[in-house]
Amino acid sequence: VQLQACGGGLVQSGGSLRLSCAASGSISSINVMGWHRQAPGKQRELVARILSGGSTYYSDSVKGRSTISRDNAKNTVYLQMNSLKPEDTAVYFCSAQIKVSSGRIYAYWGQGTLVTVSS
């Protein structure tokens, strides 16, 4: 199983970006999908997550500015980020809790995509 994230880039303050992350491989089902970020010199933090049924959680740092969504048919999670601020600059990682074909459940991480917000 692999998670492939994309959509990062350089954007001006106030701009928008949409991140996406697709899971592939021997997937039986996916429960939680989420986005985390790690800024230079800081610990990785949870940004948002979404359950298979659609329930969502947002960190206070992005609440009201970001929307997480998923396409279960495509095993893909998205993060729409608006009104971006320089403090949103970080490497963004997607994660997923996946039940593989054997029936076991594992946590997977994507490779990270860099978001840089200029002031």
mmCIF file of all heavy atoms in Angstrom, residues 9-17 37 39 59-66 81-90 92 115-119:
data_model
loop_
_atom_site.group_PDB
_atom_site.id
_atom_site.type_symbol
_atom_site.label_atom_id
_atom_site.label_comp_id
_atom_site.label_asym_id
_atom_site.label_seq_id
_atom_site.Cartn_x
_atom_site.Cartn_y
_atom_site.Cartn_z
ATOM 1 N N GLY A 9 3.130 23.696 -3.124
ATOM 2 C CA GLY A 9 3.772 24.684 -3.986
ATOM 3 C C GLY A 9 3.969 25.988 -3.261
ATOM 4 O O GLY A 9 3.802 26.077 -2.043
ATOM 5 N N LEU A 10 4.336 27.000 -4.032
ATOM 6 C CA LEU A 10 4.559 28.348 -3.505
ATOM 7 C C LEU A 10 3.330 29.196 -3.807
ATOM 8 O O LEU A 10 2.877 29.254 -4.954
ATOM 9 C CB LEU A 10 5.795 28.952 -4.154
ATOM 10 C CG LEU A 10 6.100 30.411 -3.832
ATOM 11 C CD1 LEU A 10 6.389 30.583 -2.354
ATOM 12 C CD2 LEU A 10 7.274 30.903 -4.683
ATOM 13 N N VAL A 11 2.819 29.845 -2.784
ATOM 14 C CA VAL A 11 1.633 30.684 -2.947
ATOM 15 C C VAL A 11 1.790 31.928 -2.097
ATOM 16 O O VAL A 11 2.477 31.903 -1.056
ATOM 17 C CB VAL A 11 0.364 29.895 -2.562
ATOM 18 C CG1 VAL A 11 0.384 29.500 -1.096
ATOM 19 C CG2 VAL A 11 -0.896 30.659 -2.914
ATOM 20 N N GLN A 12 1.184 33.011 -2.531
ATOM 21 C CA GLN A 12 1.244 34.240 -1.756
ATOM 22 C C GLN A 12 0.258 34.199 -0.599
ATOM 23 O O GLN A 12 -0.751 33.478 -0.635
ATOM 24 C CB GLN A 12 0.930 35.436 -2.654
ATOM 25 C CG GLN A 12 2.033 35.764 -3.641
ATOM 26 C CD GLN A 12 1.769 37.063 -4.383
ATOM 27 O OE1 GLN A 12 0.632 37.477 -4.554
ATOM 28 N NE2 GLN A 12 2.839 37.718 -4.829
ATOM 29 N N SER A 13 0.545 34.970 0.408
ATOM 30 C CA SER A 13 -0.344 35.084 1.554
ATOM 31 C C SER A 13 -1.746 35.471 1.079
ATOM 32 O O SER A 13 -1.899 36.350 0.237
ATOM 33 C CB SER A 13 0.197 36.139 2.516
ATOM 34 O OG SER A 13 -0.628 36.243 3.650
ATOM 35 N N GLY A 14 -2.746 34.766 1.600
ATOM 36 C CA GLY A 14 -4.117 34.985 1.174
ATOM 37 C C GLY A 14 -4.568 34.076 0.056
ATOM 38 O O GLY A 14 -5.758 34.028 -0.266
ATOM 39 N N GLY A 15 -3.646 33.349 -0.518
ATOM 40 C CA GLY A 15 -3.959 32.465 -1.630
ATOM 41 C C GLY A 15 -4.511 31.125 -1.169
ATOM 42 O O GLY A 15 -4.744 30.898 0.025
ATOM 43 N N SER A 16 -4.718 30.249 -2.136
ATOM 44 C CA SER A 16 -5.314 28.942 -1.876
ATOM 45 C C SER A 16 -4.490 27.828 -2.524
ATOM 46 O O SER A 16 -3.806 28.055 -3.533
ATOM 47 C CB SER A 16 -6.735 28.884 -2.429
ATOM 48 O OG SER A 16 -7.568 29.825 -1.806
ATOM 49 N N LEU A 17 -4.586 26.665 -1.945
ATOM 50 C CA LEU A 17 -3.991 25.459 -2.508
ATOM 51 C C LEU A 17 -4.904 24.289 -2.202
ATOM 52 O O LEU A 17 -5.605 24.281 -1.185
ATOM 53 C CB LEU A 17 -2.608 25.165 -1.910
ATOM 54 C CG LEU A 17 -1.388 25.894 -2.441
ATOM 55 C CD1 LEU A 17 -0.156 25.492 -1.648
ATOM 56 C CD2 LEU A 17 -1.172 25.623 -3.922
ATOM 57 N N ARG A 37 1.141 18.342 9.340
ATOM 58 C CA ARG A 37 2.179 19.202 8.779
ATOM 59 C C ARG A 37 3.323 19.336 9.770
ATOM 60 O O ARG A 37 3.151 19.192 10.979
ATOM 61 C CB ARG A 37 1.626 20.575 8.416
ATOM 62 C CG ARG A 37 1.216 21.432 9.606
ATOM 63 C CD ARG A 37 0.559 22.717 9.110
ATOM 64 N NE ARG A 37 0.182 23.600 10.205
ATOM 65 C CZ ARG A 37 -0.528 24.716 10.060
ATOM 66 N NH1 ARG A 37 -0.941 25.084 8.836
ATOM 67 N NH2 ARG A 37 -0.827 25.471 11.102
ATOM 68 N N ALA A 39 6.474 22.043 10.302
ATOM 69 C CA ALA A 39 7.230 23.244 9.946
ATOM 70 C C ALA A 39 8.671 23.082 10.412
ATOM 71 O O ALA A 39 8.941 22.281 11.322
ATOM 72 C CB ALA A 39 6.586 24.460 10.592
ATOM 73 N N SER A 59 -7.773 21.245 13.274
ATOM 74 C CA SER A 59 -7.033 21.923 14.313
ATOM 75 C C SER A 59 -7.458 23.379 14.334
ATOM 76 O O SER A 59 -7.934 23.923 13.320
ATOM 77 C CB SER A 59 -5.528 21.814 14.071
ATOM 78 O OG SER A 59 -5.157 22.559 12.932
ATOM 79 N N ASP A 60 -7.286 24.019 15.451
ATOM 80 C CA ASP A 60 -7.665 25.424 15.571
ATOM 81 C C ASP A 60 -6.896 26.294 14.580
ATOM 82 O O ASP A 60 -7.388 27.326 14.141
ATOM 83 C CB ASP A 60 -7.414 25.911 16.999
ATOM 84 C CG ASP A 60 -8.409 25.338 17.996
ATOM 85 O OD1 ASP A 60 -9.477 24.853 17.561
ATOM 86 O OD2 ASP A 60 -8.121 25.370 19.197
ATOM 87 N N SER A 61 -5.705 25.859 14.229
ATOM 88 C CA SER A 61 -4.858 26.669 13.354
ATOM 89 C C SER A 61 -5.411 26.793 11.937
ATOM 90 O O SER A 61 -5.073 27.732 11.220
ATOM 91 C CB SER A 61 -3.443 26.104 13.317
ATOM 92 O OG SER A 61 -3.460 24.784 12.811
ATOM 93 N N VAL A 62 -6.247 25.853 11.502
ATOM 94 C CA VAL A 62 -6.768 25.888 10.138
ATOM 95 C C VAL A 62 -8.288 25.940 10.085
ATOM 96 O O VAL A 62 -8.870 26.103 9.003
ATOM 97 C CB VAL A 62 -6.278 24.685 9.302
ATOM 98 C CG1 VAL A 62 -4.761 24.633 9.272
ATOM 99 C CG2 VAL A 62 -6.869 23.389 9.815
ATOM 100 N N LYS A 63 -8.931 25.818 11.226
ATOM 101 C CA LYS A 63 -10.391 25.777 11.260
ATOM 102 C C LYS A 63 -10.961 27.050 10.638
ATOM 103 O O LYS A 63 -10.517 28.155 10.929
ATOM 104 C CB LYS A 63 -10.875 25.628 12.696
ATOM 105 C CG LYS A 63 -12.345 25.286 12.839
ATOM 106 C CD LYS A 63 -12.701 25.091 14.303
ATOM 107 C CE LYS A 63 -12.008 23.915 14.910
ATOM 108 N NZ LYS A 63 -12.373 23.698 16.324
ATOM 109 N N GLY A 64 -11.927 26.871 9.759
ATOM 110 C CA GLY A 64 -12.539 28.007 9.087
ATOM 111 C C GLY A 64 -11.834 28.416 7.810
ATOM 112 O O GLY A 64 -12.382 29.193 7.021
ATOM 113 N N ARG A 65 -10.636 27.912 7.603
ATOM 114 C CA ARG A 65 -9.875 28.263 6.393
ATOM 115 C C ARG A 65 -9.629 27.053 5.496
ATOM 116 O O ARG A 65 -9.220 27.213 4.341
ATOM 117 C CB ARG A 65 -8.521 28.884 6.768
ATOM 118 C CG ARG A 65 -8.609 30.142 7.591
ATOM 119 C CD ARG A 65 -7.232 30.794 7.741
ATOM 120 N NE ARG A 65 -6.324 29.974 8.526
ATOM 121 C CZ ARG A 65 -5.152 29.514 8.062
ATOM 122 N NH1 ARG A 65 -4.773 29.791 6.836
ATOM 123 N NH2 ARG A 65 -4.370 28.779 8.850
ATOM 124 N N SER A 66 -9.853 25.882 6.033
ATOM 125 C CA SER A 66 -9.537 24.655 5.289
ATOM 126 C C SER A 66 -10.716 23.694 5.306
ATOM 127 O O SER A 66 -11.523 23.706 6.233
ATOM 128 C CB SER A 66 -8.313 23.966 5.899
ATOM 129 O OG SER A 66 -7.173 24.782 5.808
ATOM 130 N N MET A 81 -7.129 24.457 1.131
ATOM 131 C CA MET A 81 -6.651 25.462 2.076
ATOM 132 C C MET A 81 -6.819 26.839 1.461
ATOM 133 O O MET A 81 -6.315 27.105 0.363
ATOM 134 C CB MET A 81 -5.184 25.215 2.428
ATOM 135 C CG MET A 81 -4.935 23.856 3.071
ATOM 136 S SD MET A 81 -3.260 23.688 3.679
ATOM 137 C CE MET A 81 -2.359 23.695 2.132
ATOM 138 N N ASN A 82 -7.531 27.706 2.168
ATOM 139 C CA ASN A 82 -7.784 29.067 1.714
ATOM 140 C C ASN A 82 -7.189 30.070 2.701
ATOM 141 O O ASN A 82 -6.831 29.697 3.830
ATOM 142 C CB ASN A 82 -9.284 29.301 1.583
ATOM 143 C CG ASN A 82 -9.949 28.318 0.635
ATOM 144 O OD1 ASN A 82 -9.402 27.987 -0.420
ATOM 145 N ND2 ASN A 82 -11.124 27.844 0.998
ATOM 146 N N SER A 83 -7.115 31.296 2.276
ATOM 147 C CA SER A 83 -6.600 32.376 3.131
ATOM 148 C C SER A 83 -5.286 31.958 3.796
ATOM 149 O O SER A 83 -5.109 32.115 5.009
ATOM 150 C CB SER A 83 -7.639 32.748 4.197
ATOM 151 O OG SER A 83 -8.857 33.139 3.602
ATOM 152 N N LEU A 84 -4.394 31.436 2.996
ATOM 153 C CA LEU A 84 -3.148 30.909 3.536
ATOM 154 C C LEU A 84 -2.297 32.011 4.137
ATOM 155 O O LEU A 84 -2.291 33.155 3.661
ATOM 156 C CB LEU A 84 -2.369 30.176 2.443
ATOM 157 C CG LEU A 84 -2.912 28.778 2.121
ATOM 158 C CD1 LEU A 84 -2.401 28.292 0.774
ATOM 159 C CD2 LEU A 84 -2.540 27.805 3.221
ATOM 160 N N LYS A 85 -1.587 31.651 5.206
ATOM 161 C CA LYS A 85 -0.741 32.578 5.930
ATOM 162 C C LYS A 85 0.704 32.057 5.894
ATOM 163 O O LYS A 85 0.921 30.850 5.746
ATOM 164 C CB LYS A 85 -1.194 32.663 7.395
ATOM 165 C CG LYS A 85 -2.650 33.010 7.586
ATOM 166 C CD LYS A 85 -3.025 32.929 9.057
ATOM 167 C CE LYS A 85 -4.508 33.209 9.276
ATOM 168 N NZ LYS A 85 -4.873 33.114 10.715
ATOM 169 N N PRO A 86 1.676 32.919 6.081
ATOM 170 C CA PRO A 86 3.068 32.450 6.116
ATOM 171 C C PRO A 86 3.284 31.341 7.150
ATOM 172 O O PRO A 86 4.107 30.442 6.931
ATOM 173 C CB PRO A 86 3.843 33.710 6.468
ATOM 174 C CG PRO A 86 3.019 34.818 5.895
ATOM 175 C CD PRO A 86 1.590 34.390 6.113
ATOM 176 N N GLU A 87 2.552 31.387 8.255
ATOM 177 C CA GLU A 87 2.714 30.354 9.283
ATOM 178 C C GLU A 87 2.159 28.999 8.869
ATOM 179 O O GLU A 87 2.322 28.008 9.588
ATOM 180 C CB GLU A 87 2.096 30.794 10.613
ATOM 181 C CG GLU A 87 0.673 31.297 10.512
ATOM 182 C CD GLU A 87 0.600 32.816 10.441
ATOM 183 O OE1 GLU A 87 1.402 33.414 9.677
ATOM 184 O OE2 GLU A 87 -0.272 33.385 11.125
ATOM 185 N N ASP A 88 1.493 28.932 7.722
ATOM 186 C CA ASP A 88 1.050 27.647 7.183
ATOM 187 C C ASP A 88 2.178 26.945 6.427
ATOM 188 O O ASP A 88 2.013 25.794 6.005
ATOM 189 C CB ASP A 88 -0.141 27.838 6.248
ATOM 190 C CG ASP A 88 -1.393 28.301 6.961
ATOM 191 O OD1 ASP A 88 -1.690 27.769 8.050
ATOM 192 O OD2 ASP A 88 -2.067 29.212 6.436
ATOM 193 N N THR A 89 3.281 27.621 6.249
ATOM 194 C CA THR A 89 4.417 27.030 5.550
ATOM 195 C C THR A 89 4.906 25.797 6.302
ATOM 196 O O THR A 89 5.220 25.861 7.488
ATOM 197 C CB THR A 89 5.562 28.041 5.421
ATOM 198 O OG1 THR A 89 5.133 29.121 4.583
ATOM 199 C CG2 THR A 89 6.801 27.395 4.808
ATOM 200 N N ALA A 90 4.950 24.676 5.603
ATOM 201 C CA ALA A 90 5.334 23.401 6.218
ATOM 202 C C ALA A 90 5.346 22.316 5.154
ATOM 203 O O ALA A 90 4.864 22.529 4.034
ATOM 204 C CB ALA A 90 4.366 23.020 7.329
ATOM 205 N N TYR A 92 3.526 19.044 4.283
ATOM 206 C CA TYR A 92 2.245 18.438 4.614
ATOM 207 C C TYR A 92 2.281 16.947 4.270
ATOM 208 O O TYR A 92 2.667 16.569 3.151
ATOM 209 C CB TYR A 92 1.127 19.147 3.863
ATOM 210 C CG TYR A 92 0.787 20.483 4.449
ATOM 211 C CD1 TYR A 92 1.659 21.565 4.335
ATOM 212 C CD2 TYR A 92 -0.399 20.690 5.155
ATOM 213 C CE1 TYR A 92 1.379 22.793 4.904
ATOM 214 C CE2 TYR A 92 -0.702 21.921 5.717
ATOM 215 C CZ TYR A 92 0.186 22.961 5.593
ATOM 216 O OH TYR A 92 -0.107 24.188 6.158
ATOM 217 N N VAL A 115 4.477 23.059 1.226
ATOM 218 C CA VAL A 115 3.660 24.256 1.019
ATOM 219 C C VAL A 115 4.444 25.451 1.564
ATOM 220 O O VAL A 115 4.848 25.447 2.730
ATOM 221 C CB VAL A 115 2.307 24.141 1.740
ATOM 222 C CG1 VAL A 115 1.556 25.459 1.680
ATOM 223 C CG2 VAL A 115 1.473 23.019 1.128
ATOM 224 N N THR A 116 4.667 26.416 0.702
ATOM 225 C CA THR A 116 5.379 27.629 1.098
ATOM 226 C C THR A 116 4.480 28.826 0.833
ATOM 227 O O THR A 116 4.034 29.021 -0.297
ATOM 228 C CB THR A 116 6.694 27.782 0.317
ATOM 229 O OG1 THR A 116 7.505 26.616 0.515
ATOM 230 C CG2 THR A 116 7.459 29.008 0.804
ATOM 231 N N VAL A 117 4.231 29.597 1.874
ATOM 232 C CA VAL A 117 3.379 30.777 1.750
ATOM 233 C C VAL A 117 4.246 32.014 1.958
ATOM 234 O O VAL A 117 4.833 32.196 3.022
ATOM 235 C CB VAL A 117 2.236 30.748 2.781
ATOM 236 C CG1 VAL A 117 1.313 31.949 2.567
ATOM 237 C CG2 VAL A 117 1.458 29.451 2.671
ATOM 238 N N SER A 118 4.322 32.837 0.949
ATOM 239 C CA SER A 118 5.143 34.040 1.027
ATOM 240 C C SER A 118 4.302 35.223 1.521
ATOM 241 O O SER A 118 3.119 35.321 1.229
ATOM 242 C CB SER A 118 5.741 34.361 -0.340
ATOM 243 O OG SER A 118 4.713 34.629 -1.267
ATOM 244 N N SER A 119 4.959 36.098 2.251
ATOM 245 C CA SER A 119 4.244 37.268 2.808
ATOM 246 C C SER A 119 4.223 38.424 1.843
ATOM 247 O O SER A 119 4.896 38.412 0.816
ATOM 248 C CB SER A 119 4.892 37.678 4.122
ATOM 249 O OG SER A 119 6.251 37.970 3.918
#
